[in-house]
Amino acid sequence: MTSEEIRSNVEKALEEIRPFLQSDGGDITLISIDNDNSVKVRLEGNCIGCSVNQMTLKSGVEMTIKKYAPQIEEVINVS
């Protein structure tokens, strides 16, 4: 899979999860994809101070991204 295909698939994954985050007053932005295996995102809005944002990041965002782009090894939230 090319870097462009990986980026496209990660964007598709974020589009799938975004409505759930927005329904709670939050959002997510793709910051970068490093070495085609590490995704950096920024949780925004209500997601910033949410006590379960790390659970959301791992069980929701990371799982969805890996469904679309299995070669992604980690998803990191940058503030």
Side-chain angles (χ1 to χ4, degrees):
M1 193 177 286
T2 68
S3 294
E4 292 80 24
E5 290 170 321
I6 293 170
R7 176 171 285 278
S8 175
N9 285 353
V10 169
E11 289 284 5
K12 287 177 191 172
L14 294 180
E15 288 303 317
E16 182 177 312
I17 195 112
R18 188 167 278 123
F20 298 103
L21 298 174
Q22 290 174 338
S23 71
D24 287 331
D27 207 346
I28 190 166
T29 300
L30 176 62
I31 303 301
S32 67
I33 301 173
D34 302 325
N35 303 318
D36 290 339
N37 68 0
S38 177
V39 174
K40 291 183 181 170
V41 296
R42 178 178 296 120
L43 291 170
E44 300 172 342
N46 285 344
C47 292
I48 294 171
C50 178
S51 62
V52 295
N53 70 6
Q54 286 305 308
M55 186 177 75
T56 298
L57 187 69
K58 291 297 177 193
S59 65
V61 176
E62 188 171 286
M63 184 179 70
T64 304
I65 288 174
K66 287 180 176 182
K67 180 173 76 173
Y68 282 85
Q71 66 273 40
I72 298 300
E73 296 173 5
E74 65 178 347
V75 178
I76 302 165
N77 180 43
V78 296
S79 41

